[in-house]
C-alpha cells in the first residue's frame, strides 16, 4: 500500500515537472517590460527629431561593430559570433523590409531591446545583448529606433546560423532567460556625480561592457557575481576592468578616455575585438560620454576614483639574468626578434609598434594573450587621426615553443611585473592561426 502511494506521488511530481517545463517552453513566465508609450507609432517629424540622439546611442552600443562585416555594407549583418554550440550571425538591422527591420513597429523594437523577443514571439539568442539593453529608457529606445529607420536600407539576406543554432531551439531560450536574464536596473548611488551616473547607464546598458569583460557560466550566461573580472571571447582572454585593476595598469580618467577615444594609450593599443569597439563605437562618441564611461569604470565601490600606479619595475631576474638561464635566453630572443620594432627598452615606435613598457596586456595575470600575439601576430590596425600600428608577423614558424616560452617569460618579468615562468605546455595549448 505504501509503495503504491509512493509510486503515485512520484508520478504526480513527474507530471508537474512536465507541465512546468511545457509552460516555460511556451513562455508562460516571460513578461513584457515594454513601456505603454511604445504602442503609439511615432510620427515622421518625431522620428526626424529623435534620429541625431539615436546616432549617439547606437555608437555607444557598438551596434555597427557587431552588425557590419569588415568588407560589407554597414548594418547589413553577417558577422560571425562564435560560441561552444555553433556560430550565430548578426542580422541585418537596416530598415530593409525584406531582410532588415523595416517592418518593425515602435513596439516591436522596444520588445527586442527590453525583452529579447522579436516580432512573432521569436526569442533572440543572447548574442544580442538584451540582458544589458533591458535597462535602456523608453525614450532612448525611441531615439535608437528613429536613427536606425533613417539609415539606408540594404537588401542583404541574413546568413544562416550553424551548430545547435541551425535547429528550431528558440523556444528553449525561455529556459535560458529563466536563469540568466535578471531584472537589472541602472546603478544608482546617493552622492555620485552626474558624470558617474551617465557612465553607469552606458556601461551597464547599451555599451554592454560586461558581455566580454565578465566570465560566463556553463549556460553562457553572464556571471554578474564576478562583474568585470575578465572573460573569454574568440580565443582571447579579455582583461579584468575593475577599477582597482585598471588603476594598477596605470589608467586614470584622461588616459582611459584617450584609449577609448583613439584606441591608443601608454597602456597599449586596441586590437582584436576591442579594436572593433574603439573603431566603430567609442572613437566616434561624444567626448563627454567617453569621459563618463572612464569615470564610472575607475570609480571603486566607495565612490572614489582609484589613483593610478606606475608601471612595475623590472624583476631582478629579468634585469640581471643568470647566464644560460631561461630569462637570459628569453632576453636574447627578444633582442634578436623583437627589439627592432619594440625597442631595446620596450619603448616602441610611434605609428609602427606599441610600447611594451607599461603595456596592460603584458601585465595580465595570465600570459595567454601575450603568447597568442607572439604566435599569431596582429594585422595592421588603423586608428583615429590617420594613425596606425603596422602588422606584427606571426612567430610560430620562426621560434620554437621553448624560445617563445622563454621570450614571454622575460618580457612579462621585465615590463609586466610577472614572475611566474611561462611553460611550453602553455604555448602549445594556444591555437595557431598559421599551420
Amino acid at each position: 500500500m505504501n509503495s503504491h502511494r509512493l509510486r503515485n506521488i512520484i508520478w504526480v511530481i513527474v507530471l508537474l515537472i512536465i507541465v512546468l517545463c511545457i509552460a516555460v517552453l511556451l513562455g508562460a513566465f516571460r513578461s513584457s517590460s515594454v513601456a505603454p508609450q511604445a504602442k503609439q507609432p511615432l510620427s515622421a517629424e518625431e522620428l526626424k527629431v529623435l534620429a541625431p540622439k539615436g546616432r549617439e546611442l547606437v555608437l555607444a552600443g557598438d551596434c555597427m561593430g557587431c552588425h557590419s562585416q569588415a568588407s560589407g555594407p554597414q548594418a547589413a549583418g553577417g558577422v560571425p559570433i562564435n560560441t561552444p554550440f555553433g556560430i550565430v550571425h548578426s542580422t541585418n538591422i537596416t530598415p530593409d523590409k525584406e531582410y532588415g527591420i523595416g517592418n518593425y513597429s515602435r513596439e516591436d523594437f522596444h520588445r527586442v531591446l527590453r525583452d529579447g523577443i522579436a516580432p512573432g514571439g521569436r526569442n533572440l539568442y543572447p548574442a544580442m545583448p538584451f540582458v544589458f539593453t533591458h535597462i535602456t529608457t523608453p525614450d532612448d529606445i525611441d531615439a535608437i529606433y528613429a536613427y536606425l529607420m533613417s539609415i539606408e536600407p540594404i537588401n542583404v539576406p541574413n546568413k544562416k546560423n550553424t551548430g545547435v543554432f541551425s535547429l528550431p531551439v528558440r523556444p528553449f531560450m525561455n529556459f535560458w532567460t529563466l536563469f540568466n536574464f535578471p531584472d537589472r536596473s541602472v546603478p544608482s548611488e546617493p552622492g555620485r556625480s552626474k558624470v558617474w551616473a551617465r557612465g553607469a547607464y552606458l556601461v551597464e546598458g547599451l555599451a554592454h561592457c560586461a558581455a566580454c569583460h565578465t566570465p560566463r557560466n556553463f549556460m553562457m550566461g553572464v556571471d554578474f557575481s564576478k562583474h568585470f573580472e575578465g572573460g573569454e571571447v574568440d580565443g582571447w582572454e579579455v582583461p579584468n576592468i575593475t577599477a582597482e585593476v585598471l588603476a594598477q595598469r596605470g589608467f586614470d580618467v584622461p588616459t582611459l578616455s584617450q584609449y577609448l577615444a583613439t584606441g591608443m594609450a601608454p597602456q597599449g593599443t586596441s586590437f582584436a575585438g576591442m579594436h572593433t569597439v574603439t573603431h566603430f563605437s567609442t572613437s566616434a562618441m561624444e567626448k563627454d560620454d567617453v569621459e563618463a564611461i572612464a569615470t564610472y569604470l575607475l570609480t571603486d565601490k566607495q565612490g572614489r576614483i582609484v589613483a593610478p600606479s606606475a608601471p612595475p619595475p623590472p624583476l631582478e631576474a629579468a634585469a640581471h639574468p643568470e647566464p644560460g638561464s631561461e630569462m637570459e635566453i628569453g632576453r636574447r630572443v627578444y633582442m634578436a626578434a623583437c627589439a627592432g620594432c619594440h625597442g631595446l627598452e620596450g619603448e616602441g615606435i610611434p605609428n609602427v609598434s606599441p610600447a611594451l613598457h607599461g603595456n596592460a596586456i603584458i601585465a595580465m595575470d595570465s600570459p595567454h594573450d601575450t603568447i597568442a600575439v607572439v604566435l599569431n601576430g596582429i594585422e595592421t590596425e588603423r586608428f583615429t587621426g590617420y594613425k596606425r600600428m603596422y602588422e606584427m608577423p606571426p612567430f610560430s614558424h620562426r621560434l620554437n615553443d621553448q624560445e617563445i616560452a622563454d621570450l614571454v617569460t622575460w618580457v612579462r618579468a621585465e615590463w609586466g611585473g610577472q614572475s611566474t615562468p611561462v611553460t611550453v605546455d602553455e604555448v602549445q595549448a594556444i591555437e595557431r592561426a598559421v599551420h
Side-chain angles (χ1 to χ4, degrees):
M1 188 69 176
N2 287 337
S3 63
H4 180 70
R5 184 181 296 123
L6 179 61
R7 188 163 54 250
N8 286 341
I9 291 172
I10 292 173
W11 275 113
V12 169
I13 293 172
V14 170
L15 183 61
L16 287 174
I17 292 173
I18 292 172
V19 170
L20 180 63
C21 288
I22 292 173
V24 172
L25 193 67
L26 295 176
F29 298 96
R30 298 291 299 274
S31 58
S32 174
S33 59
V34 174
Q37 71 185 57
K39 296 185 181 296
Q40 181 69 33
L42 292 166
S43 68
E45 184 60 31
E46 287 174 318
L47 290 170
K48 184 178 179 181
V49 170
L50 286 169
K53 177 185 177 184
R55 178 184 180 274
E56 175 69 9
L57 295 166
V58 165
L59 289 171
D62 194 25
C63 303
M64 299 306 175
C66 286
H67 290 272
S68 306
Q69 294 185 74
S71 58
Q74 192 174 61
V79 176
I81 301 166
N82 296 301
T83 80
F85 314 109
I87 296 175
V88 178
H89 289 96
S90 64
T91 56
N92 187 327
I93 58 168
T94 73
D96 180 68
K97 291 185 177 294
E98 185 174 6
Y99 299 114
I101 62 171
N103 292 317
Y104 279 33
S105 67
R106 179 188 186 187
E107 185 177 11
D108 289 336
F109 192 77
H110 275 248
R111 195 156 196 218
V112 165
L113 266 67
R114 294 282 298 185
D115 301 330
I117 299 176
R122 188 168 56 94
N123 288 328
L124 296 178
Y125 297 127
M128 159 63 194
F130 57 84
V131 172
F132 299 93
T133 58
H134 171 75
I135 71 172
T136 309
T137 66
D139 288 347
D140 281 354
I141 294 176
D142 281 341
I144 295 168
Y145 176 72
Y147 175 70
L148 290 178
M149 289 300 177
S150 74
I151 65 177
E152 182 183 355
I154 306 291
N155 190 246
V156 173
N158 291 304
K159 290 188 175 182
K160 292 183 178 180
N161 300 323
T162 69
V164 70
F165 303 110
S166 62
L167 304 174
V169 295
R170 290 189 186 273
F172 291 92
M173 286 304 303
N174 289 321
F175 286 97
W176 187 92
T177 56
L178 197 62
F179 298 102
N180 297 288
F181 188 11
D183 187 14
R184 302 173 65 244
S185 58
V186 180
S188 177
E189 295 287 346
R192 301 288 171 89
S193 67
K194 290 183 178 179
V195 173
W196 180 92
R198 176 64 173 174
Y201 174 67
L202 293 173
V203 168
E204 301 294 349
L206 281 169
H208 61 283
C209 304
C212 291
H213 289 276
T214 299
R216 291 181 179 266
N217 58 33
F218 72 96
M219 292 179 283
M220 297 302 293
V222 177
D223 184 356
F224 286 105
S225 69
K226 299 177 180 177
H227 203 37
F228 292 151
E229 292 181 14
E232 184 179 340
V233 176
D234 291 336
W236 295 98
E237 290 192 2
V238 183
N240 181 317
I241 58 166
T242 57
E244 293 75 13
V245 171
L246 285 174
Q248 286 174 13
R249 304 292 181 256
F251 283 109
D252 55 14
V253 172
T255 53
L256 185 53
S257 298
Q258 175 190 336
Y259 176 79
L260 294 171
T262 66
M264 308 175 82
Q267 291 77 12
T269 58
S270 64
F271 65 95
M274 193 61 202
H275 185 260
T276 300
V277 174
T278 59
H279 179 75
F280 282 101
S281 176
T282 52
S283 66
M285 289 173 63
E286 295 290 339
K287 180 182 177 182
D288 289 347
D289 278 348
V290 173
E291 184 178 334
I293 290 172
T295 299
Y296 175 72
L297 287 174
L298 284 164
T299 303
D300 66 14
K301 293 179 181 178
Q302 287 72 45
R304 299 170 300 198
I305 293 179
V306 185
S309 301
L315 301 183
E316 179 64 23
H320 303 96
E322 296 272 341
S325 66
E326 292 177 347
M327 284 288 188
E328 199 268 339
I329 294 170
R331 184 178 183 277
R332 280 196 282 111
V333 172
Y334 176 83
M335 294 301 170
C338 313
C341 290
H342 292 286
L344 295 176
E345 303 298 327
E347 69 274 20
I349 300 174
N351 294 310
V352 175
S353 57
L356 301 184
H357 177 69
N359 193 291
I361 298 299
I362 288 172
M364 288 174 65
D365 291 339
S366 169
H368 178 282
D369 289 358
T370 305
I371 298 170
V373 168
V374 174
L375 283 173
N376 299 320
I378 298 178
E379 294 179 351
T380 296
E381 302 283 16
R382 291 171 175 80
F383 302 94
T384 57
Y386 301 102
K387 295 180 180 180
R388 68 172 64 190
M389 288 292 169
Y390 280 89
E391 177 185 12
M392 174 177 165
F395 282 85
S396 57
H397 290 167
R398 305 184 188 193
L399 302 174
N400 63 43
D401 292 344
Q402 185 63 61
E403 288 173 326
I404 291 174
D406 294 343
L407 166 64
V408 176
T409 295
W410 182 79
V411 165
R412 283 164 50 80
E414 178 73 5
W415 294 303
Q418 298 292 342
S419 60
T420 306
V422 175
T423 67
V424 169
D425 287 344
E426 287 177 298
V427 175
Q428 293 174 345
I430 295 176
E431 184 177 356
R432 265 78 162 165
V434 180
H435 296 281

